[in-house]
Amino acid sequence: MKHTYRAQVYLPNQFHIQPHLAQLDSAINFNWNTIATSRVFSSLLMYVSKETPSQTASRLRAVIQTAELVIYDGHFCFQEFGVADFPSHLLNEALAFVRDKDVWSALAPTSDSVSEKFLIFSFHFKPELDNSGFVGWLASHIKTAVGSGVFVVCGQNTLRGGIFDYWGVPVSVASAVINEVNKLRVSH
C-alpha cells in the first residue's frame, strides 16, 4: 500500500455502538472530543448550486484534475463480522468500517483467492472547489465507458480538504477504469 487512510462511519446512538467507539479511541489513541470542538463541524456544509449539466461536467472535470489521486497496491475485499465482534484486529489494515444492524463490514486487504477482489483508489479534494455531484458523475462515466459499477466509501479529513472518497472496482476491469480516470484528469 502506498498510503494508509482510515474512513470510519459512525451511526446514531440507536445502534448502540458506544463500546465500539471506545475501542476505536483506545486503538488509535485519539480523543474524539477534541475534534468535535474543532472546525470539523463548520466544514461539513455542502455546496448547493443550480447549474446546467454542461456546467456541472465542466466543474467536475476541474475537480478531478486537481484532486489528489492515490491508487492502492494489492487487492481489497469486504470482510464481515457479527455486530458484537468489532474487528479491532483490522484497525491498522482496513480502509473503512461500516456497520448495519447485523454486521461490521471491513474493507481490508486480501490475498484470499475466493473472495470478490477490488482495486481501491482514492481522491482527496481541494477545499476551495465545489465537488458536489462528483460521485454520481464519475460513477456514471465509469459505467458508460467501461460497463462496470463501482462502490464508494466517503470519509472526512478536515486537515486535507474535507470529504475524501475510496473507490472500489472489480479487479477484472481495474486497468480500464484507471485509464478512464486518467483520461479525465488530463482532458480539457
Side-chain angles (χ1 to χ4, degrees), residues 72-130:
Y72 292 84
D73 294 330
H75 300 136
F76 290 77
C77 71
F78 286 103
Q79 298 177 29
E80 294 182 17
F81 301 88
V83 75
D85 302 316
F86 179 78
S88 59
H89 64 283
L90 292 175
L91 278 174
N92 292 325
E93 300 173 26
L95 296 175
F97 294 90
V98 182
R99 194 206 122 151
D100 68 8
K101 68 182 187 91
D102 301 315
V103 300
W104 280 101
S105 181
L107 178 58
T110 185
S111 57
D112 185 356
S113 62
V114 294
S115 64
E116 186 175 13
K117 295 179 185 178
F118 301 99
L119 172 81
I120 302 297
F121 55 98
S122 68
F123 293 102
H124 277 77
F125 303 103
K126 299 280 185 197
E128 65 274 9
L129 294 180
D130 174 1

Side-chain angles (χ1 to χ4, degrees), residues 174-186:
S175 294
V177 169
I178 295 302
N179 185 45
E180 284 301 317
V181 168
N182 285 330
K183 283 183 197 176
L184 289 170
R185 288 175 60 80
V186 297

Side-chain angles (χ1 to χ4, degrees), residues 39-102:
R39 48 190 189 156
V40 168
F41 294 106
S42 65
S43 69
L44 292 178
L45 300 176
M46 289 191 188
Y47 286 94
V48 177
S49 59
K50 297 212 177 212
E51 56 193 2
T52 67
S54 174
Q55 290 169 321
T56 301
S58 178
R59 176 178 53 80
L60 294 174
R61 276 193 297 277
V63 167
I64 198 169
Q65 290 167 1
T66 61
E68 176 189 341
L69 170 64
V70 175
I71 301 168
Y72 292 84
D73 294 330
H75 300 136
F76 290 77
C77 71
F78 286 103
Q79 298 177 29
E80 294 182 17
F81 301 88
V83 75
D85 302 316
F86 179 78
S88 59
H89 64 283
L90 292 175
L91 278 174
N92 292 325
E93 300 173 26
L95 296 175
F97 294 90
V98 182
R99 194 206 122 151
D100 68 8
K101 68 182 187 91
D102 301 315

Side-chain angles (χ1 to χ4, degrees), residues 128-149:
E128 65 274 9
L129 294 180
D130 174 1
N131 62 28
S132 61
F134 183 81
V135 169
W137 173 76
L138 184 56
S140 294
H141 180 85
I142 290 170
K143 181 64 176 174
T144 301
V146 179
S148 179

Side-chain angles (χ1 to χ4, degrees), residues 1-10 20-21 23-32 35 70 72 76 86-98 104-109 120 122-124 153-160 162-166:
M1 238 174 359
K2 295 179 182 177
H3 299 284
T4 300
Y5 301 106
R6 191 172 294 116
Q8 299 162 352
V9 176
Y10 293 105
H20 301 298
L21 290 178
Q23 195 174 8
L24 279 172
D25 288 350
S26 63
I28 62 176
N29 194 23
F30 190 80
N31 181 346
W32 293 103
I35 202 161
V70 175
Y72 292 84
F76 290 77
F86 179 78
S88 59
H89 64 283
L90 292 175
L91 278 174
N92 292 325
E93 300 173 26
L95 296 175
F97 294 90
V98 182
W104 280 101
S105 181
L107 178 58
I120 302 297
S122 68
F123 293 102
H124 277 77
V153 179
C154 299
Q156 170 78 18
N157 183 341
T158 302
L159 299 176
R160 295 189 61 208
I163 297 295
F164 62 94
D165 303 335
Y166 285 112

